[in-house]
Every structure is written in structure tokens, then in C-alpha cells.
Amino acid sequence: MSAAQQDILSAGTGMGAVTLKVGNLDRMIGYYTQGVGLDLLSQEGDTAVLGRPGRPSLILQLTPELKHAPQGSAGLYHTAFLFAEKPDLAASVYSVARKFPNTFTGSSNHYVSEAFYFNDPEGNGVELYWDTDPASWKWNNGSIHMGTEYLDPNRFLQENITEAGMTDTGNGDAGVGHVHLKVGDIRTAKEFYVDTVGFETTIEYGTQALFVSAGGYHHHLGMNTWESSGAGARTPALGLGEVSIKVPTAEELGALSERLSSRKVEVINTGTEVRFNDPWANLVRVTAEV
């Protein structure tokens, strides 16, 4: 493996569970289980783990002493839950729209995916989406063609909802496909997540947005300045607690730790996980699959 290859996260890298700090644990559990359709995998004290059996995708931590961050702060733009099958996505969208009718914020055909957007009861962005066939994705010199075209939610439901999906959110595969962050500036984001962490740029919109991935996915992380241009390091607040990334091997985890340390990023390496803050004090935890 060349030095250049060692600086790039390998195919097989993906996203793990997102941690949210919440003010009302019961209400948030209700939204993500009764609405989105995640399973409550465990609950101990002030922490609840949600997702699918063997695949946690959301951790809720009760922190009632915290307040919401000031407007314009860096942090979470949305957590994006990827559904393997359209009927499962339709069931989830229908469930949230029916049980939490004031939380829907929009829907788009991005060419690489079909996506529906919501805000949870504490204002955290939520994306529910399905990927189109990767063979149909269009690339040009390493940049993927993505767009934002209106997607009629009623037509989508009419075409994809099943009779069972109208009463049950289903048990289909639904994990974190990507995470979108609010950052202070795109240049710093690129220097950190591409040049240091090792993601590859898939599309860049000047000073406004950056999308990065490993292994040719359309994006594992999105970053934008639409609401947060110029934001500095976060202070403790409700909302994003942690972003987690999974790499394929312990060897790659070790290489990442060395790369971060060599570039003056403060790292906590326990041997099984690596933790560090990005330039806006978003906590990132990386673990190895094996």
C-alpha cells in the first residue's frame, strides 16, 4: 500500500450510530420508534439505543441541564437514515407524516437518492432516504452528479406504500447512510475531513457545501455553511453528541490514529476506538468492524 493510499479511508468504511443529547427522552424515543420506526434496542437510565437488532443507529442521551445552541452555531444539519427498499421508506415516511404531521420539511430527488426531510421534536434534522442504483450514478472526473429536483411525496407514497406499510413501519434494513454537519467554513472542513481524516471529495459547491465519502459512495458526510458561516467551536448544547464512523480493520483504525496525531489532532486511542474533535468541536468516534 502506497503512502497516498494509506491516507485514504478504504472501501467498506461507513457510518455508525449518531448520538443526540436530548431534553425529553421519552418524547424523542416516541418520535423515532412510533414515527420513524426504529426499534428500541435498549434503555438504561438516561440513555436509549435505537436501530435494528445488531445495528444501532441512534443513541439518545438525556441531558436536561443543556439548552439549545444559539442560531448560527455549528453542529448537526441532519442524520440520514438509509432504507434498502422503497416500500420500507414509504412506510416510514407515511408513519412520521401521519403521527407527527408538523415535522415534515420537504422532499427531493437527488438523482443518486430519493429523500424526505423532517425535524424531530427537538429540532434535529432527519432525512429518510433510498438510494437509486449505483450503476446509474453519473461521475465526471471524480465528482458525482447530484441535484435537487422536487419529489412529490403523495405520488411517492401512492406508488410505493403497501397495505402493511399503512399500519406498520416495517422491519426492513434502516441504518445511518450519511450525516450532514453545519460547519463554519468549507476550506477548513475539507482540510480536516479530506486531507487529514481521509475521505474523498465527491462534490463541492464553492464556499457553501462539501460532500465526501469512502469507497465511491455518493457521500458519507455532508458539510455546509448555509446557516453557520463563520461559526466557531461548539459549546455544550442539546443536539449532536457524537458522530461515529466504522472502518473495516483494526489496522486501518491504527493508521487513522497515527495520521491524526502526526497532524497535531488530539486523539484518544483506546485500542478499540479512536475519538477526536473536528475543528468545530463535533466529537467523532471511529471503530473497526473486525
Side-chain angles (χ1 to χ4, degrees), residues 39-120:
D39 299 324
L40 178 60
L41 302 179
S42 66
Q43 183 175 357
E44 295 183 11
D46 293 339
T47 300
V49 179
L50 293 79
R52 291 287 186 260
R55 189 181 184 185
S57 56
L58 187 66
I59 300 170
L60 303 175
Q61 294 180 340
L62 179 64
T63 50
E65 70 278 7
L66 297 180
K67 306 297 182 184
H68 288 286
Q71 192 168 4
S73 298
L76 181 69
Y77 191 67
H78 62 236
T79 304
F81 298 95
L82 173 62
F83 290 78
E85 304 294 339
K86 270 191 175 184
D88 292 323
L89 171 59
S92 182
V93 169
Y94 181 75
S95 175
V96 179
R98 181 166 56 92
K99 297 171 185 173
F100 299 90
N102 297 320
T103 65
F104 178 70
T105 60
S107 52
S108 295
N109 177 357
H110 294 302
Y111 310 143
V112 297
S113 63
E114 295 182 356
F116 299 84
Y117 299 94
F118 301 84
N119 284 330
D120 73 18

Side-chain angles (χ1 to χ4, degrees), residues 59-249:
I59 300 170
L60 303 175
Q61 294 180 340
L62 179 64
T63 50
E65 70 278 7
L66 297 180
K67 306 297 182 184
H68 288 286
Q71 192 168 4
S73 298
L76 181 69
Y77 191 67
H78 62 236
T79 304
F81 298 95
L82 173 62
F83 290 78
E85 304 294 339
K86 270 191 175 184
D88 292 323
L89 171 59
S92 182
V93 169
Y94 181 75
S95 175
V96 179
R98 181 166 56 92
K99 297 171 185 173
F100 299 90
N102 297 320
T103 65
F104 178 70
T105 60
S107 52
S108 295
N109 177 357
H110 294 302
Y111 310 143
V112 297
S113 63
E114 295 182 356
F116 299 84
Y117 299 94
F118 301 84
N119 284 330
D120 73 18
E122 297 194 2
N124 300 293
V126 179
E127 177 182 340
L128 309 177
Y129 78 110
W130 167 84
D131 279 337
T132 59
D133 183 354
S136 71
W137 299 352
K138 296 180 180 179
W139 296 83
N140 183 21
N141 294 324
S143 181
I144 196 165
H145 180 57
M146 291 172 59
T148 301
E149 187 176 284
Y150 176 67
L151 177 63
D152 186 333
N154 292 316
R155 181 175 179 181
F156 179 88
L157 291 177
Q158 290 169 0
E159 292 177 349
N160 296 287
I161 194 79
T162 63
E163 186 173 346
M166 298 182 72
T167 57
D168 182 10
T169 51
N171 295 304
D173 190 25
V176 176
H178 67 267
V179 177
H180 201 140
L181 300 173
K182 296 185 289 186
V183 299
D185 73 278
I186 296 303
R187 181 182 62 81
T188 301
K190 187 173 183 178
E191 288 175 352
F192 186 79
Y193 281 106
V194 176
D195 298 340
T196 302
V197 175
F199 284 104
E200 296 178 271
T201 300
T202 55
I203 191 165
E204 189 171 357
Y205 295 102
T207 60
Q208 295 190 44
L210 172 71
F211 297 87
V212 303
S213 81
Y217 191 52
H218 53 74
H219 68 295
H220 287 114
L221 282 174
M223 289 147 272
N224 74 67
T225 60
W226 300 325
E227 302 170 2
S228 55
S229 181
R234 299 173 61 207
T235 55
L238 295 173
L240 182 64
E242 179 183 279
V243 174
S244 63
I245 299 169
K246 294 183 177 181
V247 296
T249 66

Side-chain angles (χ1 to χ4, degrees), residues 262-284:
S262 71
R263 298 174 193 189
K264 311 305 181 186
V265 177
E266 187 174 337
V267 173
I268 297 174
N269 186 345
T270 68
T272 59
E273 65 180 32
V274 170
R275 298 196 301 272
F276 54 92
N277 283 318
D278 78 1
W280 297 275
N282 295 305
L283 178 61
V284 181

